[in-house]
Amino acid sequence: QDTTAHSLQLAKMFKGIAARLQRKPANSEELVEAEEYMGDLKDVELSKCLTGVKRDRRNLLFLLEKGHQVNQQLLQAVGSAFDWLQQLTPLMEEAENIVGTERSKLENKLKRERERFISDLDTTQGTIDSFANRGDMKALWDNIESLENTRAHLTHCEETAEQINAEEERLGWTTTNFVQIPNARKNMEPFENLWKLAGDFQKGHTQWTRGPVFHLVAEDLTKQVDNMWRVAYKLARSMKDAMPTAGGVATTIKEQLD
C-alpha cells in the first residue's frame, strides 16, 4: 500500500512537472522563472524523483521475487510513475528549446527598443541644440512651449530608461547608463533660463510701460530689474562665443534694461 500510494504521488507530481514544462513564457518574468524552474528540476527535483521511482520498482520486484500476490493497482501505479519519468527527458529538452527561443525573441525585442530609444534621445538632443540658433523674440512663446514639451519628454524618457534597465536586469544583462538624459537636461538649462528671462521681461515691460503707474512699487521694480539684468548679463557672457544667436537675445534684454 505504501508503494502504491508513493507511486501514485510520483505520477501526480510528474504530471504537474510535464504541465509546467509545456507552459510557454509570455514575458521576461515568466522566462526567468521558467529557466530557474528547469535549473532546479535538473539539479535537484529530477534526482529525487528518479530515486523514488527506482525504490518503488525495487519494492515491486522484491514482492514478485518472493512470490507475493501483487494487485493490479500496484502494477499500474508503479508503471504509470515509470512511464511519466521516461517522458520527462524529451519534455525537458523541448521546454529548453522553447525557453531558448523565447529568450532570443525577448532579447532581440529589447535590443530594438533600446536602439529606438537611443535614437529618440539623439533626436531630443538635436532639438535642444537647435535653441542655440533661435533668437527671434517673436517666437518667444513658441520657444517656451517647445522647451516645456522637451522637458516633459525627458521626464518620460527617464521612465522609459528605468523600464529598459529593469528588463536588462531580468535578462541578466549589464544595465545601460543612458547618460544622454542628464546631459540633455544640463544642455537645456541655459535655454530654459534664457527664454524664461525673455518671457518675464516681456511681461514686465508691458506692465511697466502700459499698466497703471500707481500699481508700480519703486523698490520692487528696482529689485526685479536688477535680478533680470544679472541673469541677462550672465547668459550673454556665457553664450557670446558658443551660441551667439541665443546670446544675442540676452544681450538685447540687458541693453533694454540698462
Side-chain angles (χ1 to χ4, degrees):
Q1 290 182 350
D2 289 343
T3 300
T4 301
H6 186 256
S7 289
L8 289 173
Q9 183 180 1
L10 282 174
K12 183 178 180 181
M13 184 187 306
F14 289 148
K15 187 176 181 180
I17 291 173
R20 178 66 182 82
L21 288 175
Q22 293 176 36
R23 193 186 307 164
K24 186 177 179 180
N27 50 50
S28 58
E29 290 92 342
E30 292 183 7
L31 173 74
V32 173
E33 182 183 338
E35 290 175 336
E36 292 175 349
Y37 177 79
M38 287 191 294
D40 184 60
L41 183 62
K42 291 171 66 175
D43 296 340
V44 180
E45 295 302 321
L46 203 56
S47 177
K48 290 180 180 179
C49 293
L50 180 59
T51 300
V53 171
K54 285 182 176 179
R55 191 199 75 177
D56 290 351
R57 289 193 69 199
R58 189 166 56 248
N59 290 343
L60 176 59
L61 291 174
F62 174 80
L63 293 174
L64 292 172
E65 289 172 357
K66 295 301 181 180
H68 291 283
Q69 187 174 4
V70 177
N71 60 41
Q72 191 67 22
Q73 187 180 16
L74 174 58
L75 290 172
Q76 289 178 347
V78 174
S80 177
F82 181 75
D83 289 343
W84 272 112
L85 181 63
Q86 296 296 102
Q87 295 177 46
L88 280 187
T89 298
L91 281 175
M92 285 190 65
E93 291 176 353
E94 182 182 357
E96 286 176 341
N97 290 334
I98 291 174
V99 168
T101 299
E102 292 307 308
R103 171 170 276 276
S104 295
K105 289 180 180 178
L106 286 170
E107 288 182 337
N108 289 332
K109 179 183 177 184
L110 179 57
K111 287 177 183 177
R112 291 193 298 270
E113 288 178 352
R114 188 170 60 182
E115 289 171 359
R116 285 196 296 267
F117 182 56
I118 291 173
S119 177
D120 179 52
L121 291 177
D122 292 339
T123 299
T124 302
Q125 182 58 60
T127 300
I128 294 170
D129 292 340
S130 72
F131 281 95
N133 299 315
R134 300 189 191 190
D136 186 1
M137 282 292 289
K138 294 179 181 179
L140 165 64
W141 301 112
D142 288 339
N143 290 335
I144 289 176
E145 182 181 5
S146 180
L147 283 166
E148 289 174 348
N149 292 338
T150 302
R151 189 187 313 116
H153 183 63
L154 284 174
T155 299
H156 175 70
C157 286
E158 288 172 340
E159 296 171 357
T160 302
E162 290 177 1
Q163 293 169 359
I164 290 176
N165 286 160
E167 188 76 352
E168 289 172 331
E169 287 183 2
R170 279 191 291 268
L171 293 175
W173 293 8
T174 300
T175 56
T176 304
N177 182 16
F178 295 106
V179 295
Q180 299 95 323
I181 299 175
N183 288 345
R185 287 198 179 280
K186 182 179 180 181
N187 294 337
M188 192 168 67
E189 185 177 350
F191 302 120
E192 288 183 298
N193 292 337
L194 174 65
W195 291 105
K196 180 182 182 305
L197 169 68
D200 291 343
F201 172 74
Q202 188 175 92
K203 290 178 182 178
H205 188 268
T206 300
Q207 183 182 1
W208 304 332
T209 57
R210 299 179 185 178
V213 177
F214 56 84
H215 284 172
L216 300 177
V217 179
E219 184 179 346
D220 293 342
L221 179 59
T222 300
K223 184 178 179 180
Q224 185 181 14
V225 169
D226 287 345
N227 288 337
M228 285 187 185
W229 188 93
R230 280 193 293 270
V231 173
Y233 174 79
K234 290 178 180 178
L235 287 170
R237 186 175 180 182
S238 63
M239 292 179 166
K240 180 180 179 181
D241 296 325
M243 297 171 281
T245 302
V249 175
T251 300
T252 299
I253 293 173
K254 183 181 75 67
E255 289 174 349
Q256 291 187 49
L257 290 170
D258 283 339

